[in-house]
RNA sequence: GCCGGGAUGGCGGAACUGGUAGACGCAGGGGACUUAAAAUCCCCCGGUGGUGACACUGUGCCGGUUCGACUCCGGCUCUCGGUACCA
């Protein structure tokens, strides 16, 4: 059939040209297109200049999904774009003395070539770059809408500041007290900044997590954790000799009667006031503030405190409760003060022991013998020493005590979230300008819709310090849209997560330039059916995008009932690419350049290896030998196709042919199943290798054999198409496919081919395999037993045994339960 | 501490809904071809015992349910990821 050898470079270029010319990767917007839609999306790349193996893995996974769904008959949307704003461009600009725009656009061009070289089936007609005004203008528009609705606001607050990055950061961007980008410790600063009220959506974002059946538990758990809802009560303690109250939040109002002291943060007004004429206390507060800014090993820090010399009055008993300042109480959570119940809280217990404070037990277990002489008893239980609340169980007591406090105006039910509002302003140049004008008369004024977009000047040269926007007079100086007087533009830009929070919706509306998105297009395509990316965005991008999607819904951009409230239906978080057990990274110098692999073996081999070497969600250990194995497989299949249409001398055996046909169809079934079960491409490929091995072992001796062999070859090539598309297309052409392989219909299982006349029935005795018998698949128990009795190698195990029970699992096994006679 | 994963040969990993553990690949061993090497092809490859057919044993540990457990239940160990003086 073909004497040519498999030469990936040649055929890959050929088919990429072919696909582009035929437009098969374009998502159809034709009204008459009856196909069901499917939206497959991978997290879009930051245009750093070079594709690394992590990208390759991410995009090969997505491409396999998209191509598989196309072959299943779906109208697939598979777009790509560039998350093009961000700090690395500014850093590169400083280094090379070129504006970030230039660097960014050059990188995009370079990475486009690299992505195309991989043969990824993107709809390039919908490509976006977030740094373009036609993209970010809608983000600016949206922000002005949020200002109108009171969901975006400017407030002076204590915020996280990163010196090297010269900007503030959102809470989500601070990891272990250090900046997520540059790993330097952040410190607190008071600054007026722009926030978006994600806290208004905290409950919805939390509750809807239950809907996300197609998300990994891990990511759902991380988001739940991050939102951090806790229910309890706020309780007011009257300060002795004053009108003031000390308010605290507790999740354990049932332990109220066990309070023996109060603890406040060093920054709490009561502590500051008490320190005014107490030098020792002032020193201690100073010590606490120094430690807290370091934020290093907070967990191991010694618990320290000092009495403030003041007391509060217990709201129920009226007893005096001393107030302490403690270094473990955070001003930033709750009210900055806690009621301490050492008997039922480990931390309070340790603190009470250290400073010899009272420990009063108010909860016991069901048996009534719990004691707190050695440690705190933190389980819920039954109330004791609590007056009228005695005998209540913790759950009921929480309600009863909270209710009592409410009637006395000394407290109320309260829910506390860990989630803070999203800080979206950044003191950086290379980002979306915040569409706001500061006017001496009118205050902060949103840029009116007709004046949008506020275009970022692209020619500026950052220096690493303050944003060059502030010095750009033609940008800064503007007339106030309200009063017309000279005013100044806001020079902060948006957090780049603002762009990535809605790009998935933007793709649906590629043809719409009169609105942020088009409602009908959203209904057609959204939400994303399969989203694929790294787990590092579990509480960053993935939380913001869920939030922003709801904002778009509530601004009326689409119908929430039809599109849904969640932007991503299914999520696949792919593992990292490792070399020698550690993550590939430039700084560690343990990288493998995709370019080299593609040049040596071709894109298809690179794709096949990354899909085969590990399940998608697990880490993938890079192996040069493994790559060679993948390449070998493709060569073997290439040569295997030479057997199509051939007959070989020898006696045909219809049984052997039938067995091959059954193997073909069981493998179609297995491959399809692997694709459907969480895109287990590694398993699918293993099944295809088995099919290839089965075909290789077969020689056709007659017309029937020839036909079955061809059927198998066709199925194999078709199923390979989503994974190694160039290879499959070339092979498909050799085999005379009517449709190009990547657009061929996915093979169907012929159930009749799976039927067997004879099977090997496993025979077990006491659950232990003792042999096999060749029988009809429909054999009944008695018939099977008779064969067993006549099979010496098995029946010998039954000698001297009494048969208690026989279990026949149809088509699989026969288990005989015996006991000594 | 809490939350969520994971633990199967020398390695990456298979095993449908509880039904033959180790598919497929990599590495390794042996052989064929070759003057030789590479490539390719064939055979072997969890452990122990046995020349062998075969037997025993084996999926982190201890126990349980079941005719039968990698799979289900209870209790641990180790490991990876996330997170926290969160009141």
């Amino acid at each position: 059939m073909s004497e040519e050898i498999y030469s990936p470079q040649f055929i890959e270029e050929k088919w990429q040209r072919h696909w582009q010319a035929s437009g098969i990767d374009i998502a159809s917007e034709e009204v008459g297109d009856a196909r069901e839609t499917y939206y497959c999306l991978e997290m879009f790349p930051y245009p750093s200049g070079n594709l690394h193996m992590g990208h390759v893995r991410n995009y090969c996974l997505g491409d396999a999904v998209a191509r598989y769904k196309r072959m299943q008959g779906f109208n697939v949307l598979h777009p790509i774009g560039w998350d093009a704003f961000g700090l690395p461009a500014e850093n590169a600009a400083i280094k090379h003395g070129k504006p970030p725009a230039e660097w960014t656009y050059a990188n995009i061009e370079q990475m486009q070539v690299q992505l195309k070289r991989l043969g990824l089936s993107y709809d390039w007609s919908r490509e976006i770059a977030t740094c373009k005004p036609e993209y970010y203008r809608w983000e600016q528009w949206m922000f002005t809408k949020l200002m109108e609705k009171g969901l975006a606001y400017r407030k002076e607050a204590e915020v996280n500041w990163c010196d090297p990055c010269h900007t503030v950061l959102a809470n989500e961007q601070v990891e272990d007290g250090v900046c997520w980008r540059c790993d330097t410790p952040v410190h607190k600063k008071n600054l007026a900044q722009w926030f978006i009220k994600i806290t208004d959506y905290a409950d919805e974002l939390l509750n809807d997590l239950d809907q996300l059946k197609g998300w990994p538990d891990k990511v759902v758990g991380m988001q739940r954790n991050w939102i951090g809802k806790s229910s309890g009560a706020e309780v007011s303690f009257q300060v002795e000799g004053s009108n003031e109250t000390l308010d605290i939040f507790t999740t354990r109002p049932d332990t109220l009667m066990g309070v023996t002291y109060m603890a406040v943060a060093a920054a709490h007004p009561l502590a500051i006031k008490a320190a005014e004429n107490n030098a020792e206390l002032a020193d201690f507060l100073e010590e606490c503030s120094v430690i807290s800014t370091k934020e290093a090993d907070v967990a191991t820090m010694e618990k320290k405190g000092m009495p403030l010399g003041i007391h509060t009055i217990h709201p129920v008993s009226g007893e005096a409760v001393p107030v302490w300042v403690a270094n473990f109480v955070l001003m930033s959570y709750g009210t900055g003060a806690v009621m301490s119940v050492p008997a039922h809280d480990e931390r309070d217990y340790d603190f009470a022991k250290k400073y010899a404070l009272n420990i009063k037990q108010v909860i016991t277990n069901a048996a009534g013998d719990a004691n707190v002489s050695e440690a705190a008893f933190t389980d819920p239980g039954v109330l004791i020493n609590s007056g009228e609340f005695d005998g209540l169980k913790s759950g009921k007591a929480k309600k009863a005590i909270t209710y009592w406090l409410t009637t006395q105006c000394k407290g109320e039910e309260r829910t506390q979230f860990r989630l803070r509002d999203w800080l979206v302003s950044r003191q950086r140049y290379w980002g979306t300008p915040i569409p706001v004008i500061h006017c001496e008369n009118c205050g902060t004024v949103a840029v009116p819709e007709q004046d949008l977009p506020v275009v970022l000047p692209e020619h500026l040269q950052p220096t690493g310090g303050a944003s060059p926007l502030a010095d750009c007079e033609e940008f800064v100086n503007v007339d106030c849209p309200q009063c017309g007087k000279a005013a100044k533009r806001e020079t902060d830009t948006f957090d780049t997560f603002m762009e990535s929070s809605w790009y998935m919706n933007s793709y649906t509306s590629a043809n719409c330039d009169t609105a942020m998105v088009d409602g009908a297009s959203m209904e057609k395509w959204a939400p994303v059916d399969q989203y694929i990316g790294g787990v590092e965005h579990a509480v960053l991008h993935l939380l913001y995008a869920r939030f922003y999607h709801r904002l778009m819904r509530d601004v009326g951009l689409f119908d929430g009932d039809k599109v849904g409230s969640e932007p991503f239906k299914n999520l696949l978080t792919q593992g990292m690419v490792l070399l020698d057990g550690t993550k590939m990274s430039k700084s560690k110098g343990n990288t493998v350049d995709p370019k080299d692999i593609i040049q040596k073996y071709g894109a298809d081999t690179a794709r096949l290896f990354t899909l085969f070497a590990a399940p998608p969600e697990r880490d993938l250990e890079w192996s040069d030998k493994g790559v060679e194995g993948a390449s070998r497989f493709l060569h073997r299949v290439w040569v295997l196709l030479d057997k199509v249409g051939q007959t070989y001398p020898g006696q045909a055996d219809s049984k052997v042919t039938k067995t091959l046909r059954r193997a073909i169809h069981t493998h179609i079934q297995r491959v399809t199943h692997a694709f459907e079960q969480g895109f287990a491409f590694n398993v699918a490929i293993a099944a295809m290798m088995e099919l290839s091995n089965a075909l290789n072992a077969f020689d056709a001796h007659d017309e029937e054999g020839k036909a079955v062999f061809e059927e198998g070859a066709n199925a194999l090539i078709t199923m390979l198409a989503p994974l190694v598309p160039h290879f499959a297309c070339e092979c498909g052409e050799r085999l005379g496919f009517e449709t190009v392989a990547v657009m061929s219909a996915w093979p169907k299982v012929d159930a009749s081919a799976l039927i067997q006349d004879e099977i090997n029935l496993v025979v077990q005795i006491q659950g232990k395999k003792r042999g096999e018998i060749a029988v009809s698949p429909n054999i009944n128990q008695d018939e099977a037993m008779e064969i067993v009795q006549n099979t010496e190698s098995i029946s010998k195990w039954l000698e001297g045994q009494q048969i208690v029970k026989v279990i026949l699992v149809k088509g699989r096994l026969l288990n005989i339960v015996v006991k000594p006679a």
Side-chain angles (χ1 to χ4, degrees):
Chain A
M1 203 176 159
S2 164
E3 297 301 312
E4 289 172 48
I5 57 153
Y6 168 46
S7 48
Q9 305 301 336
F10 172 75
I11 66 168
E12 288 177 4
E13 202 217 315
K14 166 182 163 185
W15 287 102
Q16 283 165 18
R17 249 187 293 123
H18 185 282
W19 298 332
Q20 200 191 344
S22 56
I24 55 175
D25 302 329
I26 308 270
S28 166
E29 292 286 2
E30 267 172 59
V31 183
D33 196 326
R35 291 176 298 168
E36 214 181 309
T37 61
Y38 190 90
Y39 186 1
C40 173
L41 182 68
E42 300 105 61
M43 289 181 186
F44 66 165
Y46 178 80
S48 59
N50 270 303
L51 221 56
H52 55 69
M53 277 302 173
H55 288 128
V56 171
R57 189 174 189 203
N58 194 181
Y59 304 137
C60 288
L61 284 166
D63 199 50
V65 172
R67 289 185 183 278
Y68 171 67
K69 290 291 174 181
R70 274 193 206 101
M71 293 175 73
Q72 289 275 10
F74 289 88
N75 178 13
V76 172
L77 172 58
H78 187 219
I80 185 74
W82 309 95
D83 188 12
F85 273 137
L87 204 47
E90 289 191 57
N91 293 337
I94 295 161
K95 197 169 154 194
H96 302 122
K98 275 192 232 166
E102 216 176 285
W103 182 83
T104 303
Y105 291 126
N107 285 350
I108 288 176
E109 232 171 277
Q110 192 175 325
M111 288 176 79
Q112 277 170 344
V113 173
Q114 294 175 337
L115 286 181
K116 286 181 176 168
R117 183 62 193 84
L118 274 168
L120 303 168
S121 63
Y122 291 123
D123 180 348
W124 286 97
S125 73
R126 296 180 191 236
E127 182 186 7
I128 56 160
T130 58
C131 61
K132 296 203 168 157
E134 57 269 31
Y135 182 81
Y136 64 69
R137 67 173 295 186
W138 296 112
E139 192 175 310
Q140 294 174 331
W141 171 84
M142 182 70 174
F143 190 75
T144 62
K145 291 287 151 207
L146 296 177
M147 284 172 74
E148 269 172 37
K149 293 180 76 127
L151 286 167
Y153 63 94
R154 188 169 137 103
K155 190 181 106 181
E156 172 150 340
E158 191 179 63
V159 295
N160 308 300
W161 177 268
C162 175
D163 271 328
C165 296
H166 201 274
T167 186
V168 298
L169 300 169
N171 284 347
E172 288 79 9
Q173 291 164 335
V174 181
E175 294 164 353
D176 286 329
V178 304
C179 170
W180 71 307
R181 280 223 171 279
C182 67
D183 284 342
T184 17
V186 301
H187 54 267
K188 300 283 182 190
K189 238 184 177 180
N190 274 307
L191 287 171
Q193 294 294 315
W194 287 97
F195 294 86
I196 301 184
K197 271 194 188 164
I198 191 170
T199 52
D200 271 17
Y201 287 74
D203 257 318
E204 193 190 340
L205 288 168
L206 182 70
N207 295 336
D208 289 355
L209 286 172
D210 295 335
Q211 289 177 26
L212 296 174
K213 304 281 182 228
W215 281 40
D217 290 345
K218 179 177 164 172
V219 177
V220 170
M222 282 165 72
Q223 291 212 358
R224 184 167 284 132
N225 231 322
W226 187 261
I227 296 168
K229 182 177 182 173
S230 45
S231 309
E234 187 163 306
V235 187
S236 297
F237 286 69
Q238 178 87 39
V239 179
E240 205 175 47
S242 149
N243 296 329
E244 284 175 60
T245 59
L246 175 58
D247 298 340
I248 58 93
F249 172 72
T250 180
T251 53
R252 292 294 303 271
D254 54 317
T255 63
L256 182 63
M257 297 310 291
V259 172
T260 57
Y261 65 98
M262 311 294 287
V264 301
H268 195 278
L270 273 185
I272 292 166
K273 196 172 152 199
E276 277 169 11
N277 36 29
N278 182 338
E280 201 188 340
L281 188 58
D283 285 348
F284 180 70
L285 298 192
E286 179 64 26
E287 187 191 326
C288 288
S289 71
V290 169
I291 291 165
S292 74
T293 50
K294 278 186 186 161
E295 283 204 55
D297 30 18
V298 151
T300 57
M301 204 162 77
E302 193 192 348
K303 288 167 190 47
K304 282 188 186 171
M306 269 184 85
L308 293 184
I310 57 175
H311 290 77
T312 58
I313 299 162
H314 192 280
V316 182
S317 69
E319 282 172 26
V321 182
V323 181
W324 284 60
V325 57
N327 64 350
F328 59 79
V329 181
L330 306 173
M331 196 58 216
S332 55
Y333 188 78
T335 59
V338 296
M339 67 179 208
S340 292
V341 187
H344 306 293
D345 181 278
E346 278 177 33
R347 195 185 50 202
D348 294 348
Y349 190 91
D350 294 344
F351 193 82
K353 282 279 179 195
K354 180 169 178 179
Y355 293 107
L357 293 157
N358 281 343
I359 297 172
K360 181 185 172 193
Q361 185 180 356
V362 292
I363 307 278
T364 189
N365 55 18
D369 59 3
N371 79 81
V372 296
S373 56
E374 293 299 322
F377 178 72
T378 57
D379 296 344
V382 181
L383 270 68
I384 53 170
N385 300 327
S386 297
E388 61 176 290
F389 304 109
D390 276 357
L392 289 176
K393 286 186 178 169
S394 287
K396 280 202 169 153
K398 282 182 186 177
K399 284 185 187 145
I401 291 175
T402 308
Y403 179 74
W404 186 89
L405 287 167
T406 312
T407 60
Q408 302 295 308
C409 295
K410 287 177 177 171
E412 59 186 356
E413 201 177 318
R414 169 90 187 265
T415 303
Q416 181 76 32
F417 287 94
R418 212 180 75 100
L419 184 70
R420 290 289 112 93
D421 277 341
W422 180 14
L423 199 176
V424 294
S425 46
R426 296 289 180 275
Q427 291 66 54
R428 303 300 319 180
Y429 156 54
W430 189 235
T432 300
I434 296 178
V436 165
I437 291 165
H438 297 285
C439 169
E440 280 183 19
N441 290 336
C442 312
T444 51
V445 180
V447 175
E449 188 166 351
Q450 69 270 15
D451 293 346
L452 294 176
V454 177
V455 176
L456 181 77
E458 291 196 349
H459 62 277
L460 302 182
Q461 176 62 44
T463 56
S467 164
L469 268 185
D471 299 328
C472 179
E473 294 196 3
E474 63 268 37
F475 178 79
V476 173
N477 294 324
V478 65
D479 293 339
C480 172
Q482 267 177 30
C483 69
K485 287 191 182 154
K488 301 219 178 276
R489 279 194 196 281
E490 170 72 65
T491 55
D492 279 2
T493 54
F494 282 132
D495 179 5
T496 58
F497 280 105
M498 286 281 273
E499 286 90 62
S500 55
S501 293
W502 67 282
Y503 81 112
M504 66 286 175
N505 291 341
S506 163
Y507 286 131
T508 66
S509 307
N511 301 321
C512 171
D513 57 4
T514 54
M516 190 169 195
V517 291
D518 170 59
S521 300
M522 283 290 288
E523 278 173 37
K524 176 173 176 143
W525 297 108
V528 173
D529 288 289
Q530 184 64 56
Y531 198 34
I532 306 170
V535 74
E536 65 274 16
H537 288 297
V539 286
L540 286 158
H541 164 59
L542 288 168
L543 180 65
Y544 296 142
R546 291 183 63 225
F547 169 49
Y548 212 101
H549 188 74
R550 287 168 171 79
L551 291 176
M552 292 174 80
R553 176 197 66 191
D554 293 347
V555 164
L557 285 163
F558 59 83
D559 185 340
D561 290 336
K562 291 180 179 153
V563 175
S565 296
E566 291 293 340
F568 311 114
K569 200 167 161 193
N570 296 291
L571 173 69
L572 179 75
T573 50
Q574 106 252 7
M576 295 183 294
V577 182
L578 311 177
L579 187 62
D580 304 323
T582 49
K583 186 183 179 179
M584 275 193 190
S585 78
K586 246 196 231 166
S587 56
K588 282 185 205 129
N590 63 333
T591 57
V592 176
D593 193 334
K595 267 185 293 192
D596 299 340
I597 302 300
I598 293 169
Q599 200 182 2
K600 191 165 173 192
Y601 299 98
D604 282 332
T605 293
R607 296 172 62 122
L608 187 67
F609 171 73
T610 56
L611 294 171
F612 180 58
E617 64 283 357
R618 277 207 226 173
D619 288 349
L620 183 157
E621 176 67 36
W622 186 265
S623 155
D624 290 333
K625 291 287 187 183
V627 177
E628 274 174 35
S631 173
R632 266 201 295 273
F633 171 66
L634 294 181
H635 277 96
R636 269 203 303 274
V637 174
W638 183 268
V639 173
L640 175 72
L641 297 189
D642 289 339
K643 290 175 79 174
V644 173
Q646 303 289 316
T647 48
Y648 297 83
Q651 191 59 46
D653 182 343
S654 66
K655 238 177 139 179
V656 173
T657 307
K658 207 175 165 191
T659 305
L660 177 71
R661 184 144 195 277
R662 203 181 83 239
I664 292 165
H665 285 271
T666 53
H667 283 90
I668 294 172
Q669 196 173 42
R670 286 176 58 192
V671 172
T672 309
H673 184 258
F675 271 71
E676 294 295 334
Q677 295 294 306
F679 300 111
F681 298 117
N682 57 324
V683 183
I685 292 166
M688 290 188 230
M689 286 172 167
E690 282 182 56
L691 176 55
S692 155
N693 291 344
L695 289 168
N696 207 12
F698 179 86
D699 287 332
H701 300 299
D702 60 358
E703 286 305 308
E704 197 201 355
K706 203 166 88 176
V708 170
F709 187 89
E710 187 169 353
E711 183 185 359
N714 289 351
L716 176 62
I717 295 308
T718 308
M719 294 191 294
L720 279 169
L723 315 175
V724 285
H726 318 84
F727 177 86
C729 284
E730 184 69 18
C731 291
E733 192 175 76
R734 281 174 63 194
L735 292 173
F737 278 22
E738 283 176 23
T739 316
V740 63
V742 291
M743 291 306 279
S744 296
W746 191 254
K748 288 204 165 52
V749 178
D750 178 354
S752 70
L754 302 178
I755 297 166
Q756 290 174 266
D757 306 334
E758 196 179 85
I759 57 157
N760 285 328
L761 189 74
V762 169
V763 180
Q764 295 184 335
I765 292 166
Q766 310 289 61
K768 209 169 255 188
K769 184 184 169 186
R770 290 304 183 192
E772 284 177 17
I773 52 175
V775 296
S776 150
N778 297 315
I779 193 166
N780 68 34
Q781 194 173 301
D782 295 339
E783 291 164 348
M785 280 307 290
E786 198 181 324
I787 297 168
V788 167
Q789 298 289 6
N790 293 326
T791 308
E792 213 280 323
S793 61
I794 304 174
S795 63
K796 69 180 180 190
W797 293 95
L798 297 171
E799 276 166 33
Q801 302 289 328
Q802 186 191 339
I803 295 173
V804 180
K805 196 174 170 184
V806 178
I807 293 119
L808 175 72
V809 181
K810 214 181 146 202
R812 287 200 172 269
L813 59 78
L814 182 80
N815 190 16
I816 305 164
V817 186
V818 297
K819 67 176 185 186

